[in-house]
Amino acid sequence: MVSRKVSRRRFMANTAALSAVGVAAPFVRGAYAAGKLSVGFWDHWVPNANGATEKLIKEWGEKEKVDVQIDFITSQGNKLLLTTAAEGQAKSGHDILAQNTFLPARNAELLVPMNDVMDQLIKDNGKVNATVEYLGKVGGKWLGVPATVGSQIKGPCSRIDLLKKHAGIDIQAMYPAGEAPKADNWTFDTFLKAAEACHKGGNPFGIGLGTTSDNVDTIGAVFHAFGAVMVNEKGDIVIKNDQVRQALDFYKKLMAFLPPDVAAWDDASNNKFLVSGQASMIMNPPSAWAVAKRDAPQVAEQCWTHGFPAGPKGRYAPFLPFFWCTWNFSKNQSAAKSLLLYLSQSSSAEKMVAASGGYDLPSFEKLTTFKTWAEEGPPKGTLYHYPNPHNHQILSVAAAPAPHKIAEQIYNQGIQTQMAVRYFKGEPLEKTLDWASGEIEGFMRN
């Protein structure tokens, strides 16, 4: 049985008394007994996408004789973040709670190890990418299970017609539906020439330089493609290196071809720029394309999602995973693990992907070829390369490989985008590096 409460206004779920419950092997053996489980998941922006998750949980609950309460908690107004903080502080709340990017590492001491679940899932579904391991595994302990729901790659979404018209690029030939990429020439040099041509043609690339996630994710992938590390894995500040300088030089060139207000863009700005018909390209998961299908179908039918350009150190793309985590104060940890195993099997993940229209991304290597991505349109096949099915790019997160506490602050404060803006506006490069170094030193003191 599933009882459902949509927590758009709720910061923390009140947890009913939980009793121990037997669940399927390998976690608990014995007779089933009526038990309860409380789950807090991200409230999906795609209409009806929550329904697929709810249906799967209901199937599991009826089979295992567990009464599950599920709350869909919006990320608007940081309510999911506030819920996580409140539950961690109170040591009370949901048995399972969705946490994204750096939050599992922040809450590591409060989370149940998921090594047994992950060992089984990796055996069944293939290995996960290095970014999932960096964010979700600390000190050899898996802090959560990478969630299908909400996880995303923020790759390029390009206008087929405008790239052809202004830059002479056939993006469908470069990234053909149903086939491996033919993108050897899709490099930063090609990218800059295309940005310049599209700018001159009146349809610039829509790449923001604000301090919100979409902007930070893009510049983070560019930094990785130059091998530009600001803080190494030991926590040493190493920002004054040639690779960081090269990345900032690249952005200084790029910003000359972007809209003049990109330093003030937030996560909605690039979406609006695409839907308005002005953009030749943005960096985004398929959400902007999905809105265009509804509001500007003439734009949507010209959109093609594809891979990042390659830099000197390789082809990187931003990946932002959600994790399903279980608090160590949960009274029903065995049931939680059993549910997470069920939700993460291939058949369950495929249903979630279909319900989201291809937006959601499993993190396991064998789960990147579901038919949804090949069949979604218009145009048909526009999402085929979105999940990186040919593993032709490295999935990354901004500020890695710095220790999590430092990386999270670099990410949340948008240090990389602020550097690019300062340098573009005329600040000497070494002064920009001094400023960023001072900011990071401050993070370390705090």
Side-chain angles (χ1 to χ4, degrees), residues 263-274:
W265 279 22
D266 59 19
D267 286 351
S269 302
N270 56 345
N271 295 46
K272 293 176 181 177
F273 198 61
L274 179 78

Side-chain angles (χ1 to χ4, degrees), residues 188 219-228 247 308-317 396:
F188 279 170
I219 198 170
V222 171
F223 266 56
H224 284 302
F226 277 101
F308 249 70
K313 300 299 182 181
R315 193 184 307 276
Y316 287 77
S396 62

